[in-house]
Amino acid sequence: MKDKKPKNVFIKGAITHEFIGNSIYKHQSKTSIGAHNIFLGQVRADKVDDKTVSAIEYTAYEDMANQKFHDIREATFNKFNLTCMHIYHSLGTVKAGEICLFVFVSAPHRKVVFDALEYVVEEIKAHVPVFGKEIFEDQSHQWKKNT
Amino acid sequence: MKDKKPKNVFIKGAITHEFIGNSIYKHQSKTSIGAHNIFLGQVRADKVDDKTVSAIEYTAYEDMANQKFHDIREATFNKFNLTCMHIYHSLGTVKAGEICLFVFVSAPHRKVVFDALEYVVEEIKAHVPVFGKEIFEDQSHQWKKNT
Amino acid sequence: MEITIKYFGQIAEETNTTEETIRIENGNISNILTLLLKKYDGLKYKDFQVAQNQEIVSPETEITGAEIALLPPFSGG
Amino acid sequence: MEITIKYFGQIAEETNTTEETIRIENGNISNILTLLLKKYDGLKYKDFQVAQNQEIVSPETEITGAEIALLPPFSGG
């Protein structure tokens, strides 16, 4: 039973450093926290043959994706003793060098945040229906595949 | 042989969210990076008996500490295939809720950043001569001990 | 019954549409796949999973849902 | 020889100084410790490590350095 509507994790376009900085700032009032761990996914300018990726265009099966993000949140809170957790993912165009994924976990002590963060990131990569189209400088494209 | 003078890792007072955001922003030109992992140590308002920690005052054996930070950097680059790494630690007074440690590692792919970040943080906690004096609201204090 | 089929990423590129409605008798997901592979010949070369009501299902799963989605390999993050 | 001794954190609190110079004959770190424990009685209740020229050493290590530091438990981060 899905008893509450999951939050929207998606952000239009790149996730800015101001957004990330601000998110860190908001945690200063939570004085039981001793350790934060943040993962940022950044779009790489990969070279394929002679062409270079200039951006990734993200689409998603949004309803299912938000539900999966919600499920991952619940599972992570059950597994790890975290104070809080935030996940944001881009939709639309994110240029090479820009941030497309922002995962933020916090806890009183450090040991737990390392395992929790890796768990969340791997779960997202494996189970959330998000699709990245790598756009080359000449506007041709290929479909990204997670490894 | 210590052939080059290590960088100064210390920052006077708290590490601000603007500083962290700006550091993230600077990596947008490094388009071979696909994954960043950031650890932030935040001062907890721990309760001891009836008193609450309001700040930690950090001192260090600065020359040795900077050398140790340098050695940890070198060892980490030898062990893990990272694109870059940054470490900042506060000296002086950092209030509860503020950031006192900022470790930032980046690599083309995600797998390596999780292990690298945890390694760096544990090495810092174990080997860098930094001393935290927990100041209570009534100005009494106790000496912090890493666990 | 009437079912909405959604296509994503390179699957939508192949079908040239992101959503359509089909009519089908009761049966398994494999019945829907047979129908779609007939309609979109190129799909047989594509790697995808099927979701029914936002849960990944196998071809043997009974059709229960009003929403089926064809999902290419995930590449978030 | 002349050696600079540095004190940090709760050790400096005990000695009431952060740095001083002592004269000592050649020998081991333990010879310095004996001298300092005589001078600062409270040190014997304190937990600390000794660094010589910025490297942690044991009491058996020969005195070679011009700079010795008494370091209480680390608590960075």
Side-chain angles (χ1 to χ4, degrees):
Chain A
M1 285 284 96
K2 292 159 187 174
D3 49 2
K4 76 176 174 185
K5 177 124 179 97
K7 286 201 299 187
N8 178 28
V9 160
F10 292 106
I11 286 189
K12 190 102 196 79
I15 299 165
T16 66
H17 67 282
E18 290 96 345
F19 183 87
I20 298 161
N22 196 39
S23 183
I24 292 166
Y25 178 68
K26 284 185 196 155
H27 289 75
Q28 296 210 348
S29 57
K30 300 197 176 180
T31 56
S32 67
I33 292 173
H36 302 291
N37 199 354
I38 293 172
F39 179 85
L40 302 175
Q42 181 168 301
V43 172
R44 279 192 316 274
D46 278 351
K47 280 205 166 47
V48 180
D49 303 323
D50 275 352
K51 301 192 285 188
T52 303
V53 171
S54 65
I56 294 181
E57 209 180 289
Y58 285 105
T59 52
Y61 185 8
E62 289 188 53
D63 284 350
M64 177 175 165
N66 278 317
Q67 184 60 49
K68 287 289 165 199
F69 280 122
H70 178 82
D71 295 346
I72 293 168
R73 260 184 81 81
E74 301 282 294
T76 308
F77 273 118
N78 285 340
K79 265 176 101 79
F80 302 98
N81 190 16
L82 295 178
T83 308
C84 54
M85 165 173 16
H86 305 276
I87 305 175
Y88 300 96
H89 197 296
S90 293
L91 275 189
T93 302
V94 182
K95 290 190 213 124
E98 292 183 331
I99 307 288
C100 56
L101 172 62
F102 171 27
V103 183
F104 188 173
V105 301
S106 310
H109 297 275
R110 74 184 179 284
K111 307 270 181 199
V112 75
V113 294
F114 298 112
D115 290 342
L117 187 71
E118 184 166 7
Y119 174 79
V120 173
V121 173
E122 294 303 330
E123 288 290 297
I124 291 172
K125 298 266 180 185
H127 300 301
V128 179
V130 173
F131 313 103
K133 184 175 167 181
E134 294 178 316
I135 316 285
F136 296 107
E137 285 153 337
D138 64 359
Q139 298 309 308
S140 63
H141 71 266
Q142 72 176 15
W143 290 92
K144 189 175 172 245
K145 215 167 163 171
N146 280 349
T147 48
Chain B
M1 288 281 96
K2 289 159 187 174
D3 49 2
K4 74 176 180 188
K5 178 129 176 92
K7 287 201 299 188
N8 178 29
V9 161
F10 292 108
I11 285 189
K12 190 103 195 77
I15 299 167
T16 66
H17 68 283
E18 288 96 344
F19 183 88
I20 298 162
N22 196 39
S23 182
I24 292 166
Y25 178 68
K26 284 185 196 154
H27 288 76
Q28 297 210 345
S29 57
K30 301 198 176 180
T31 55
S32 68
I33 292 172
H36 303 290
N37 199 353
I38 293 171
F39 179 86
L40 303 173
Q42 181 167 301
V43 173
R44 279 193 315 276
D46 278 352
K47 282 207 164 47
V48 180
D49 302 325
D50 275 352
K51 300 193 285 187
T52 303
V53 171
S54 65
I56 294 182
E57 209 179 289
Y58 284 105
T59 53
Y61 184 9
E62 288 187 52
D63 284 349
M64 177 174 166
N66 278 316
Q67 184 59 52
K68 287 288 165 201
F69 279 123
H70 179 82
D71 296 346
I72 292 169
R73 260 183 80 81
E74 301 283 295
T76 308
F77 273 118
N78 285 339
K79 265 175 101 80
F80 303 98
N81 189 18
L82 295 178
T83 308
C84 54
M85 166 174 16
H86 306 275
I87 305 175
Y88 301 96
H89 199 295
S90 293
L91 276 189
T93 302
V94 182
K95 290 190 213 124
E98 293 182 330
I99 308 287
C100 57
L101 173 62
F102 171 27
V103 183
F104 189 174
V105 300
S106 310
H109 297 275
R110 75 185 179 282
K111 308 271 181 199
V112 75
V113 296
F114 298 112
D115 291 343
L117 186 71
E118 184 166 8
Y119 174 79
V120 173
V121 172
E122 294 302 329
E123 288 291 297
I124 291 172
K125 298 264 180 186
H127 300 300
V128 179
V130 173
F131 314 103
K133 185 177 167 180
E134 295 178 316
I135 316 284
F136 296 107
E137 284 151 337
D138 64 359
Q139 298 308 309
S140 63
H141 72 266
Q142 73 177 14
W143 290 92
K144 190 177 171 246
K145 214 167 166 172
N146 279 350
T147 48
Chain C
M1 69 182 120
E2 281 214 332
I3 291 174
T4 303
I5 316 275
K6 296 188 170 211
Y7 306 102
F8 292 92
Q10 56 184 310
I11 301 300
E13 215 170 50
E14 191 60 44
T15 60
N16 240 318
T17 182
T18 57
E19 190 171 325
E20 66 183 323
T21 304
I22 62 164
R23 289 198 65 84
I24 195 161
E25 299 306 302
N26 288 353
N28 293 341
I29 297 295
S30 62
N31 300 122
I32 296 181
L33 291 178
T34 305
L35 193 150
L36 295 178
L37 285 164
K38 206 180 292 177
K39 186 163 179 184
Y40 304 107
D41 193 52
L43 275 190
K44 65 170 171 274
Y45 306 110
K46 295 291 177 188
D47 181 14
F48 62 87
Q49 298 182 87
V50 179
Q52 172 167 249
N53 288 343
Q54 303 177 21
E55 291 295 341
I56 301 295
V57 290
S58 72
E60 296 74 38
T61 307
E62 200 191 338
I63 302 170
T64 59
E67 186 173 299
I68 300 287
L70 268 53
L71 305 174
F74 301 167
S75 50
Chain D
M1 69 181 120
E2 280 214 333
I3 290 174
T4 303
I5 316 275
K6 296 188 170 210
Y7 306 103
F8 291 91
Q10 57 186 308
I11 302 300
E13 213 169 52
E14 191 61 44
T15 60
N16 239 320
T17 181
T18 57
E19 189 172 326
E20 66 182 322
T21 304
I22 61 164
R23 290 198 63 84
I24 194 160
E25 299 307 303
N26 288 353
N28 294 340
I29 297 295
S30 63
N31 298 122
I32 296 182
L33 291 179
T34 306
L35 195 150
L36 295 178
L37 285 165
K38 207 180 291 176
K39 187 165 179 186
Y40 304 109
D41 193 51
L43 275 190
K44 66 171 171 273
Y45 306 111
K46 294 291 177 188
D47 180 13
F48 62 86
Q49 299 182 86
V50 179
Q52 171 167 249
N53 289 345
Q54 303 176 22
E55 291 294 340
I56 301 295
V57 290
S58 72
E60 296 74 38
T61 307
E62 200 191 337
I63 301 170
T64 60
E67 185 173 301
I68 301 285
L70 268 53
L71 306 174
F74 302 167
S75 50

